[in-house]
Amino acid sequence: MSAGGEGVRLGAGSPFWRAVLYAVLLVFAVYYLLPLVIMLLNSVKPLSEIRGGNLLALPKVWTFEPWHSAWSTAQVGVQATGLKPYFINSFLMVFPAVAISAALGAINGYILTKWRFKGDSIVFGMMLFSCFIPFQIVLIPMAKVLGTIGLAGTVSGLVMVHVVYGIGFTTLFFRNYYAAFPTELIRSAQVDGAGFFRIFWRILLPSSGPIIVVSIIWQFTNIWNDFLFGASFADFDSQPMTVALNNLVQSSTGVKEYNVHFAGAVLAALPTLVVYIVSGRYFVRGLMAGAVKG
Amino acid sequence: MTATSNVTTEPVLRRSSGATALRRGLQDWLPRIVLAPSFAVIILFVYGFIVFTAYLSMTSSTLLPRFDFIGLENYVKLFKLPNWWIALKNLAIFGSLYIGICCALGLFLAILLDQKIRGEGILRPIYLYPMALSFIVTGTAWKWFLDPGIGLDQTMHALGWASFHFDWIKNRDMAIYTVVIAAVWQSSGFVMAMFLAGLRGIDTEIMRAAAIDGAGPWQLYRRIIIPMLRPAFLSAFVVLAHMAIKSYDLVIALTNGGPGRATEVPATFMYSYTFTRSQMAIGAASAVIMLMMVASIIVPYLYSELSAERQQ
């Protein structure tokens, strides 16, 4: 996908139209960056400056107090703990959920492409549809099940929920990736006596780097950003970051500390943003996984 | 975000020689045994739960589940509730504008970026990064940016435009459009990326032939290139439509359904009826309707994608 190749040029490439083109593209770059810039600028301003108006102005007095407050002293819900414990909760939830769902997706994708059986496309179709259901349809029974098995209001419960509803996507990723993997290699390994697991470990997994990264990034972003499950199944001690941020911002008691809210929002955005900056290419690949047929 | 690659897979592999019957039997069954737990989990937690919720929607459950069957009464009740109609109307407004503007903006930006732009490698990630953010973050940023007390309104006044007035987020008639503004900001870059991939995938021979026939660039786009992006349009529509039906986080963070019930959507309706208003059966019925809306879009799409793949 090199830029353009033989792409059509609008406006016959005249310098005037090229200038307009770049200007329009820059305006949109500003549009997309603006909310992030506003959050950053106003997270280092004293509250009085924000109330005085002009969210776009540079701080007259720079202060990191809002960040400190958002992290460790702000009132989130009933306690004044800052967002720190919830930030940690999110990580405790994300790591196992990502690892387990990616591992299951890898083995499922391997089976669905290299060990096909009668009805496998129905199995895959049913897993695929599970990616798109509105999760409202599972909230009530899931709450009941989590209560019954003693995982209601725990991080482990959220891990389980995210694994269950993440399998569909990870299976999809690995299945599509392994479908392109040369079957002859596997056939000859079989002739050499390699079994089901050995083929997976020795042949497929070593060449799965890119799709593992795609799956991990996709799952990480989705699970970190989840709000619905966190809001439905967590209690005060196990809330993930998104739920805590929302509680912080919506809390109606006391003065609205906009600068603290902005600092908290940046904190909540930071992990996924870092992942995006470091490996955006893989993130886009996950987003697009097959959505576009060339 | 959706189905399928276009590579056909080979049929089941079997060892041709050298194994005992038992071992061969095990090797045959092993994949199915390994796949079984995942599939069982999906059957139980997705399809089993759908059946459970559908059944609950036909009971008189309120605060707790009850299992007396009362038929479709709750659906009749649901469609008599003004709040549900508000939610549906808002979804229609939000969904159509969200899909329409995202597609228009996404296509526009993709075409511009496809003009051999220097710095595309910088611009593209900037257009796309909001997609990596949580809707709660997006909602928080736009909530205060659009707030007449401190946001855009104040900023314009400070910059000297005293008559500037923008209070949609506090205005019952306009608040739903602020949800559109924030959602478009978040998703349009993604649609741009889909269209850009589509543009890059078009056979340049066709374009060259048309150009030789004397078609100007505008004509080329209108008559040939944009029609050839049909698959990208379809994917974008499906992805955006199902996101619109499911949108919950953004509404909660941006307006919390308000002012009043002005930005109620089916997802917030379901949550509040089930968990705060103790009308579980009505909540379940609304969830079933949401599922039917999503399924009516997703199922035909997945079906056509999967069968197209099989034919290749």
Side-chain angles (χ1 to χ4, degrees):
Chain A
M1 280 221 301
S2 69
E6 327 289 325
V8 183
R9 280 208 179 181
L10 295 172
S14 81
F16 173 72
W17 283 109
R18 296 295 285 177
V20 171
L21 185 63
Y22 278 97
V24 172
L25 287 170
L26 277 179
V27 166
F28 276 100
V30 170
Y31 161 71
Y32 286 111
L33 284 173
L34 200 60
L36 186 61
V37 171
I38 287 173
M39 284 195 281
L40 286 169
L41 275 183
N42 293 285
S43 69
V44 289
K45 260 184 212 173
L47 198 53
S48 57
E49 278 187 44
I50 298 180
R51 285 232 202 76
N54 202 349
L55 283 179
L56 293 173
L58 284 173
K60 291 188 195 88
V61 181
W62 292 73
T63 166
F64 290 95
E65 188 47 39
W67 282 79
H68 175 71
S69 171
W71 181 247
S72 54
T73 63
Q75 180 106 2
V76 178
V78 283
Q79 297 144 299
T81 56
L83 291 167
K84 185 175 147 195
Y86 308 100
F87 195 80
I88 295 168
N89 279 346
S90 270
F91 272 109
L92 290 177
M93 167 183 83
V94 165
F95 282 135
V98 169
I100 298 169
S101 59
L104 287 172
I107 196 96
N108 293 344
Y110 166 56
I111 294 167
L112 288 170
T113 52
K114 304 303 175 199
W115 297 86
R116 301 194 58 179
F117 52 89
K118 217 174 163 136
D120 61 354
S121 54
I122 295 170
V123 171
F124 177 60
M126 290 180 76
M127 291 181 118
L128 195 53
F129 180 65
S130 77
C131 301
F132 299 99
I133 58 166
F135 291 123
Q136 280 76 13
I137 198 82
V138 300
L139 286 185
I140 303 169
M142 188 50 113
K144 223 175 135 49
V145 166
L146 287 174
T148 311
I149 59 178
L151 290 180
T154 66
V155 173
S156 313
L158 287 176
V159 170
M160 189 193 96
V161 173
H162 284 298
V163 168
V164 168
Y165 299 108
I167 293 177
F169 263 119
T170 55
T171 300
L172 164 70
F173 289 150
F174 282 98
R175 175 191 172 274
N176 287 356
Y177 187 79
Y178 289 152
F181 191 89
T183 304
E184 299 76 47
L185 285 180
I186 290 158
R187 205 181 297 260
S188 63
Q190 275 192 312
V191 173
D192 292 343
F196 174 81
F197 285 111
R198 186 118 68 100
I199 292 174
F200 181 63
W201 270 112
R202 292 283 178 78
I203 301 178
L204 279 151
L205 218 48
S207 59
S208 305
I211 203 64
I212 293 174
V213 176
V214 168
S215 305
I216 288 177
I217 289 177
W218 174 266
Q219 286 296 92
F220 180 89
T221 310
N222 264 354
I223 298 173
W224 182 276
N225 288 344
D226 163 72
F227 177 76
L228 184 63
F229 288 143
S232 307
F233 304 136
D235 61 20
F236 278 119
D237 298 328
S238 56
Q239 272 170 1
M241 188 67 175
T242 48
V243 177
L245 173 64
N246 190 55
N247 288 346
L248 172 74
V249 175
Q250 307 283 355
S251 129
S252 48
T253 50
V255 192
K256 277 200 172 25
E257 296 184 296
Y258 305 108
N259 49 1
V260 176
H261 299 171
F262 285 127
V266 177
L267 276 172
L270 214 51
T272 54
L273 217 48
V274 167
V275 167
Y276 177 73
I277 292 165
V278 171
S279 46
R281 202 157 53 89
Y282 292 100
F283 175 74
V284 178
R285 238 175 99 174
L287 273 180
M288 311 269 290
V292 182
K293 295 166 128 193
Chain B
M1 263 182 94
T2 57
T4 74
S5 82
N6 42 18
V7 182
T8 327
T9 51
E10 299 290 316
V12 187
L13 302 163
R14 281 171 209 283
R15 300 186 61 181
S16 47
S17 62
T20 65
L22 183 69
R23 194 172 142 80
R24 194 181 303 146
L26 183 66
Q27 284 288 325
D28 271 0
W29 278 98
L30 194 55
R32 274 170 263 196
I33 294 167
V34 174
L35 185 65
S38 292
F39 189 53
V41 157
I42 296 286
I43 290 289
L44 180 69
F45 287 88
V46 176
Y47 298 94
F49 280 9
I50 289 175
V51 170
F52 184 92
T53 305
Y55 184 78
L56 268 191
S57 74
M58 294 181 271
T59 66
S60 62
S61 305
T62 50
L63 178 62
L64 292 168
R66 232 182 282 165
F67 297 100
D68 54 331
F69 184 80
I70 59 164
L72 297 177
E73 218 173 276
N74 289 314
Y75 290 88
V76 177
K77 255 192 234 165
L78 177 69
F79 279 93
K80 281 184 182 157
L81 284 172
N83 282 343
W84 176 245
W85 282 106
I86 293 173
L88 287 181
K89 187 181 146 220
N90 279 335
L91 176 60
I93 295 172
F94 169 71
S96 52
L97 287 173
Y98 172 62
I99 296 170
I101 299 173
C102 275
C103 281
L105 190 58
L107 180 64
F108 177 68
L109 290 174
I111 289 176
L112 293 194
L113 268 188
D114 199 32
Q115 309 297 317
K116 293 180 188 156
I117 293 299
R118 214 170 292 169
E120 187 198 320
I122 299 167
L123 289 170
R124 214 176 21 177
I126 290 177
Y127 293 176
L128 198 58
Y129 87 91
M131 201 65 193
L133 302 182
S134 148
F135 274 120
I136 300 295
V137 172
T138 303
T140 303
W142 285 93
K143 179 189 182 70
W144 295 142
F145 183 58
L146 296 175
D147 188 279
I150 64 156
L152 189 61
D153 227 40
Q154 281 278 338
T155 306
M156 287 303 177
H157 297 169
L159 293 175
W161 187 350
S163 61
F164 185 87
H165 190 56
F166 191 83
D167 67 347
W168 286 9
I169 200 161
K170 300 276 181 208
N171 180 329
R172 277 166 186 271
D173 297 325
M174 304 309 279
I176 190 69
Y177 300 101
T178 62
V179 184
V180 176
I181 293 173
V184 165
W185 177 80
Q186 172 126 356
S187 313
S188 48
F190 168 50
V191 181
M192 178 278 299
M194 289 172 88
F195 281 128
L196 195 58
L199 284 172
R200 299 276 156 85
I202 290 176
D203 187 358
T204 50
E205 286 301 312
I206 297 171
M207 291 197 244
R208 214 173 298 157
I212 289 167
D213 282 352
W218 287 114
Q219 263 187 321
L220 210 55
Y221 271 105
R222 213 164 44 93
R223 297 252 184 89
I224 297 173
I225 298 178
I226 292 174
M228 283 179 80
L229 289 176
R230 253 186 61 167
F233 269 109
L234 182 64
S235 305
F237 172 80
V238 170
V239 170
L240 293 174
H242 107 278
M243 281 174 69
I245 297 167
K246 287 157 76 167
S247 22
Y248 175 72
D249 320 9
L250 182 62
V251 176
I252 291 294
L254 190 69
T255 62
N256 206 0
R261 305 211 144 265
T263 50
E264 183 94 279
V265 289
T268 58
F269 176 97
M270 185 276 165
Y271 201 91
S272 68
Y273 271 74
T274 306
F275 296 110
T276 53
R277 294 178 159 224
S278 301
Q279 302 215 40
M280 190 177 279
I282 297 280
S286 67
V288 170
I289 302 287
M290 286 177 68
L291 178 72
M292 284 161 67
M293 289 194 270
V294 169
S296 67
I297 293 164
I298 289 288
V299 170
Y301 179 70
L302 292 184
Y303 185 79
S304 75
E305 292 269 303
L306 286 177
S307 50
E309 179 182 309
R310 216 168 304 151
Q311 278 163 16
Q312 269 169 2

